[in-house]
Amino acid sequence: MCEMAVAKGNNRKKHQSYISVPSQIINSISQSSLESLLQPPLKKHGGVSKLRVLFENPRFWIFFIFVFGFLWMLKMWFNFDPTMPFSQNPCLIPQEKDEISSGFSSTQVSTEKNDEKSGGKYEKSEFWKQPDGMGYRPCLDFSDRYRKESGEIVKDRTKYLMVVVSGGMNQQRNQIVDAVVIARILGAALVVPILQVNVIWGDESEFSDIFDLEHFKNVLANDVRIVSSLPSTHLMTRPVEEKRTPLHASPEWIRLRYLKRLRRDGVLLLRGLDSRLSKDLPSDLQKLRCKVAFHALRFAPHILEFGNKLTERMRTEGPYLALHLRMEKDVWVRTGCLPGLTPKYDKIINDERRRRPELLTSRSNMTYHERKLAGLCPLNALDVTRLLKALGAPKDTRIYWAGGIPLGGKEALLPLKRVFPYLYNKEDLALPEELKPFQKKASLMAAIDYIVSENSDVFLASHGGNMGHAIQGHRAYAGHKKTITPNKRQMLPYFLNSSLPEAEFNRIILDLHQDSIGQPELRNSKAGRDVTKYPIPECMCNSSTRAFSSI
């Protein structure tokens, strides 16, 4: 970048600059005065006398003031700097300084500066209005019995739980939350969870590469003892390995199944915890889930710092929308859906599904069209565009899109880009050297997306999933920040009705989402809901329920 700037500076030196001066001024200056200005003195003593005559000539001062004023106007109008060719650091010109600090490409910087929007204009749009949080705040008031038992649990040095967690970063987060709760149920110390190497992405990141380990230990110090490794007294112990934990296991089942063996052998190793622990637990254990998910599992400092830096760059022009797009090849294959691009890409998905039928997650007897109408398919870029327009998103909305590269590459995003041109992801916002430490590490890249999405003014996920659910719960816990949940089952028939006028379509879609923008929602209003997605009533309270408390 600096070399380019230097080259540009050198090119400027090759061009001569001319100043247009009115003829009246030229005519008013005598020939001798002009000669004295243009011809250097030949002798030292002659030069001194000529300079004295020149400085005493009032016409010289008129000419000097005119030139000085003209240069000053150039600087004001065009940000022209007459000293630029002599700058000691050509990289520090104003535009490039902005580019370095913000991370945008030069094209994006110039475009956005020309189309600069004031914060006041954003505030006038109803789209940015936040839902009524009804006074709900975090409220983790553990019972007296829980606190009393905590003293004995954290002192225990005989029982240790080891867990191996798998999947992507957000799937691993869910399993870590449940691992802490299971350790509490068994009264065991938890060895820092082992992250299984992901066979798809080849990410070998360990717990401390993604999360702040010391913070994790400190926050949970009064709930579960966290240790980095087995103590010497248990190193030679062969852990009891369990792979058959059933779905929705209750605390009673866990104690009956594992506690006797754990007391006998001292170490228990669990694998495959994904969604194994029941979603309906006693109140104290639900609160512990929230404490782990929303307080203890903080990203490592270098990830958190970089994620917050990208957040600041997104917010330079005002509020922004975070969009989690689920348009990768494996998503289309697993959901049994088609990307809606061209017959070429439909054939790629169908061929992959025929080769590997085990990848289809559920309801294999349904056709693609039936799946689409049932709301089981991800929204593609055109669907998202129509939804955002109907919900009143301004055309100058700044959008951060999270997720992997869509099937079809960035061309698959063109329907969205045409209507909402201010569309960025982490590669657009970051300089190459900034992103380099995180590349080829899918978990770290996912963590960056999580931070920027969680910090956004509005969040929308095109197709649920672990990340969408986790961020929905995190935003609810942070005060019910606006989170749009697409009502796919009810809205898609209108998407397929091409005869519906646009104004009528927009009115219907807006009406369908009046109650789907992140308002407080009780977890226990439906069976099987995860408290880390719906933290009310166990983890949040308001003045109408019980007094607030903090951890």
Side-chain angles (χ1 to χ4, degrees):
M1 183 183 295
C2 289
E3 287 81 1
M4 292 176 62
V6 171
K8 290 180 181 179
N10 290 338
N11 289 339
R12 290 191 194 103
K13 294 179 184 180
K14 293 177 182 180
H15 296 284
Q16 292 183 345
S17 298
Y18 296 89
I19 300 173
S20 176
V21 182
S23 59
Q24 294 88 340
I25 299 294
I26 296 295
N27 294 336
S28 65
I29 301 176
S30 66
Q31 181 67 24
S32 61
S33 298
L34 285 173
E35 290 176 353
S36 66
L37 284 171
L38 300 175
Q39 296 179 2
L42 299 177
K43 296 180 182 180
K44 186 175 180 180
H45 64 276
V48 172
S49 62
K50 287 186 177 182
L51 282 175
R52 184 177 301 165
V53 171
L54 179 62
F55 289 147
E56 292 175 354
N57 191 331
R59 292 173 181 175
F60 166 79
W61 292 109
I62 294 173
F63 180 80
F64 178 84
I65 292 170
F66 175 85
V67 172
F68 181 85
F70 185 82
L71 291 174
W72 181 83
M73 285 189 291
L74 282 177
K75 181 175 177 65
M76 294 297 292
W77 290 344
F78 304 108
N79 202 25
F80 169 80
D81 186 354
T83 66
M84 188 60 66
F86 310 103
S87 172
Q88 293 182 354
N89 190 350
C91 291
L92 295 180
I93 62 176
Q95 182 175 342
E96 291 171 8
K97 281 170 67 179
D98 291 342
E99 184 177 329
I100 291 170
S101 63
S102 67
F104 291 104
S105 69
S106 57
T107 303
Q108 291 167 331
V109 170
S110 61
T111 301
E112 291 171 13
K113 292 223 178 260
N114 291 337
D115 295 325
E116 188 172 355
K117 309 296 187 297
S118 66
K121 185 172 182 179
Y122 280 112
E123 292 171 4
K124 291 178 183 178
S125 173
E126 285 290 316
F127 182 76
W128 303 111
K129 186 177 179 181
Q130 297 297 311
D132 182 3
M134 298 172 62
Y136 279 100
R137 296 290 183 271
C139 183
L140 301 183
D141 51 342
F142 291 95
S143 68
D144 292 338
R145 178 181 175 183
Y146 180 93
R147 293 192 180 96
K148 185 177 180 180
E149 292 173 347
S150 296
E152 295 300 319
I153 289 174
V154 297
K155 289 178 183 177
D156 187 277
R157 297 293 188 274
T158 62
K159 302 187 296 294
Y160 293 87
L161 174 65
M162 300 178 66
V163 296
V164 178
V165 300
S166 59
M169 189 276 295
N170 291 288
Q171 196 173 354
Q172 290 171 345
R173 283 181 97 256
N174 294 339
Q175 294 171 61
I176 292 168
V177 170
D178 283 354
V180 173
V181 176
I182 292 173
R184 172 77 191 199
I185 292 170
L186 296 172
L190 176 66
V191 180
V192 173
I194 301 165
L195 275 53
Q196 182 175 311
V197 177
N198 193 290
V199 294
I200 298 176
W201 299 298
D203 191 340
E204 299 181 358
S205 299
E206 298 180 358
F207 186 98
S208 58
D209 295 325
I210 305 172
F211 304 104
D212 188 332
L213 178 55
E214 291 307 310
H215 178 80
F216 183 70
K217 290 180 178 180
N218 293 336
V219 169
L220 298 174
N222 295 324
D223 304 275
V224 175
R225 194 165 70 93
I226 311 292
V227 297
S228 297
S229 60
L230 287 173
S232 58
T233 54
H234 289 66
L235 283 177
M236 302 304 293
T237 304
R238 184 174 182 178
V240 179
E241 185 170 350
E242 178 60 68
K243 300 179 182 179
R244 298 187 300 273
T245 305
L247 288 171
H248 314 303
S250 67
E252 292 74 21
W253 187 94
I254 289 171
R255 291 190 187 99
L256 287 172
R257 177 77 179 184
Y258 300 138
L259 193 53
K260 184 177 180 180
R261 286 187 289 171
L262 183 57
R263 285 171 175 163
R264 182 191 66 203
D265 300 307
V267 183
L268 173 66
L269 173 62
L270 295 181
R271 295 178 183 270
L273 285 181
D274 196 24
S275 298
R276 298 292 162 174
L277 185 60
S278 173
K279 303 301 180 188
D280 297 307
L281 298 175
S283 180
D284 284 325
L285 295 180
Q286 297 287 54
K287 288 179 172 60
L288 179 58
R289 265 182 165 156
C290 291
K291 188 173 182 179
V292 179
F294 304 136
H295 295 274
L297 276 176
R298 188 170 71 186
F299 291 115
H302 67 291
I303 301 175
L304 193 60
E305 180 183 2
F306 185 61
N308 288 333
K309 184 182 291 185
L310 296 190
T311 297
E312 292 173 4
R313 292 174 184 175
M314 280 303 300
R315 193 162 279 139
T316 53
E317 304 287 326
Y320 70 95
L321 162 75
L323 174 63
H324 185 212
L325 288 174
R326 304 293 308 283
M327 294 170 55
E328 302 93 328
K329 178 182 175 180
D330 68 298
V331 175
W332 296 118
V333 172
R334 287 188 290 103
T335 57
C337 302
L338 296 176
L341 296 171
T342 63
K344 168 190 171 184
Y345 290 107
D346 289 349
K347 184 176 185 303
I348 291 173
I349 297 302
N350 284 324
D351 290 347
E352 183 73 14
R353 200 176 291 132
R354 275 193 292 268
R355 281 195 299 269
R356 303 182 64 187
E358 74 278 5
L359 293 178
L360 189 59
T361 49
S362 63
R363 305 191 193 185
S364 57
N365 60 329
M366 296 177 69
T367 66
Y368 157 64
H369 188 68
E370 290 170 337
R371 286 175 176 274
K372 180 91 171 174
L373 288 178
L376 300 175
C377 292
L379 300 178
N380 60 28
L382 181 58
D383 295 333
V384 171
T385 304
R386 297 185 68 191
L387 175 61
L388 289 175
K389 285 180 65 179
L391 295 179
K395 290 185 178 180
D396 58 4
T397 296
R398 295 167 61 80
I399 300 176
Y400 178 90
W401 69 272
I405 298 298
L407 176 68
K410 288 195 174 183
E411 289 185 8
L413 301 179
L414 285 178
L416 183 61
K417 183 82 172 178
R418 290 190 188 105
V419 178
F420 298 99
Y422 301 105
L423 182 67
Y424 315 101
N425 68 353
K426 49 189 171 293
E427 283 82 6
D428 299 319
L429 295 173
L431 296 172
E433 58 268 24
E434 290 180 315
L435 205 56
K436 190 174 181 180
F438 306 99
Q439 288 176 330
K440 298 182 180 180
K441 295 181 179 180
S443 295
L444 274 59
M445 297 288 268
I448 294 167
D449 277 345
Y450 190 104
I451 294 167
V452 184
S453 297
E454 202 284 317
N455 287 337
S456 67
D457 300 273
V458 180
F459 174 73
L460 185 152
S462 67
H463 185 65
N466 289 309
M467 178 169 166
H469 293 168
I471 290 178
Q472 178 179 330
H474 216 137
R475 292 171 67 83
Y477 194 75
H480 292 91
K481 296 191 290 184
K482 187 170 183 177
T483 304
I484 301 169
T485 304
N487 193 339
K488 290 188 283 188
R489 183 175 296 181
Q490 294 189 43
M491 77 183 189
L492 283 173
Y494 299 103
F495 275 64
L496 300 175
N497 186 354
S498 58
S499 63
L500 197 64
E502 184 177 4
E504 180 67 8
F505 171 84
N506 292 348
R507 184 193 64 77
I508 292 171
I509 299 303
L510 185 61
D511 186 61
L512 287 175
H513 290 84
Q514 289 298 317
D515 298 322
S516 303
I517 58 172
Q519 299 96 330
E521 194 170 351
L522 295 178
R523 184 193 71 85
N524 49 18
S525 62
K526 289 185 181 179
R529 283 182 164 180
D530 192 335
V531 72
T532 59
K533 183 180 179 183
Y534 300 95
I536 300 174
E538 288 91 349
C539 302
M540 300 185 77
C541 55
N542 61 18
S543 56
S544 64
T545 53
R546 57 186 183 272
F548 304 155
S549 67
S550 59
I551 60 173

